[in-house]
Structure formats: C-alpha cells, structure tokens
C-alpha cells in the first residue's frame, strides 16, 4: 500500500511561488500526479510524472509549474511559480503503482490528504 503525505501549501500573493512536497512510502510506483480541486469544481489534473515517460502538464499551468521526483528522498515536488488567484485550490498527490490508470486518464489508486494553496493579495 502506497502512503502519501503532502506539505508546503499556504497563502501567497499573486505572482509568488510555492513548492509542494509529497512524501512517499510503500512499494515502487511508476506514475505520480498532482491534482487540485477548487470549491464547487471538479478535481483536475495539474501535472504528472511517469518513470520512462517524462512529464505532462495541464495547459493552464504549462510554463509556470514543474513536477519532479527525488528518488533518494522518496519525494515528489510541485514547484509553482507566477501563481494566480485561479490557482487557489486544495492540491492532492496521487499515485498509480503500475501506471495504467494514469495512462488511461483515470485517477490513481492512492491519495494524500491534500494541502491548501491560496493565492490572494
């Protein structure tokens, strides 16, 4: 069973930056993703990283957000720059051990508890 613990959320002004972390424990996992959910909206994919297949991003965050993986620290990161008020949401780390669900566009089987990001002046 994969366990995920997010951290790094908070309040930031428009144009600012935050780095989210997702600490991983459990068996080897091929694919990780960050999703976000704003009040009254569906949960949406932000970024994905897959062993051997690189990274992908939602159009709304391309050029501003970067997903990365540190295998030595068992951690996934989401570096968020040039933040906008519309980035305000709860951000969730998601794991798909075999990579099949993410490849099909589905949610992975494991979720973290979420971390709140608020972009406001």
């Amino acid at each position: 069973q994969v366990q995920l613990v997010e951290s790094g959320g908070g309040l930031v002004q428009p144009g600012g930056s935050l780095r989210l972390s997702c600490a991983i424990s459990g068996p080897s996992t091929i694919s990780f993703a960050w999703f976000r959910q704003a009040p009254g909206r569906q949960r949406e994919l932000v970024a994905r990283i897959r062993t051997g297949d690189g990274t992908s991003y939602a159009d709304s965050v391309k050029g501003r957000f970067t997903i990365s993986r540190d295998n030595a620290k068992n951690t996934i990161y989401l570096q968020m720059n040039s933040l906008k008020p519309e980035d305000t949401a709860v951000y969730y780390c998601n794991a798909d051990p075999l990579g099949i669900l993410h490849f099909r566009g589905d949610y992975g089987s494991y979720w973290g508890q979420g971390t709140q990001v608020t972009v406001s002046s």
Side-chain angles (χ1 to χ4, degrees):
Q1 181 134 353
V2 179
Q3 294 183 320
L4 307 169
V5 179
E6 301 101 331
S7 61
L11 173 64
V12 63
Q13 292 187 339
S17 298
L18 280 175
R19 188 177 77 162
L20 305 183
S21 300
C22 174
I24 309 158
S25 59
S28 177
T29 295
I30 289 176
S31 184
F32 291 92
W34 286 96
F35 287 80
R36 67 185 179 187
Q37 188 166 19
R41 300 189 66 176
Q42 286 190 328
R43 193 168 295 191
E44 63 174 356
L45 176 67
V46 176
R48 192 183 74 187
I49 186 165
R50 177 186 172 95
T51 301
D53 196 30
T55 58
S56 60
Y57 298 90
D59 288 343
S60 59
V61 306
K62 278 182 183 175
R64 300 189 298 122
F65 290 13
T66 302
I67 188 171
S68 61
R69 178 174 184 173
D70 187 332
N71 290 325
K73 295 183 178 181
N74 289 328
T75 303
I76 301 293
Y77 299 102
L78 184 69
Q79 178 67 44
M80 306 186 294
N81 299 328
S82 302
L83 282 161
K84 305 175 181 180
E86 51 263 44
D87 294 319
T88 296
V90 178
Y91 284 71
Y92 297 91
C93 186
N94 181 248
D96 178 19
L98 299 181
I100 297 171
L101 297 173
H102 283 169
F103 182 80
R104 295 192 319 212
D106 291 332
Y107 299 142
S109 301
Y110 302 99
W111 293 94
Q113 81 285 358
T115 185
Q116 176 70 47
V117 172
T118 302
V119 185
S120 175
S121 55

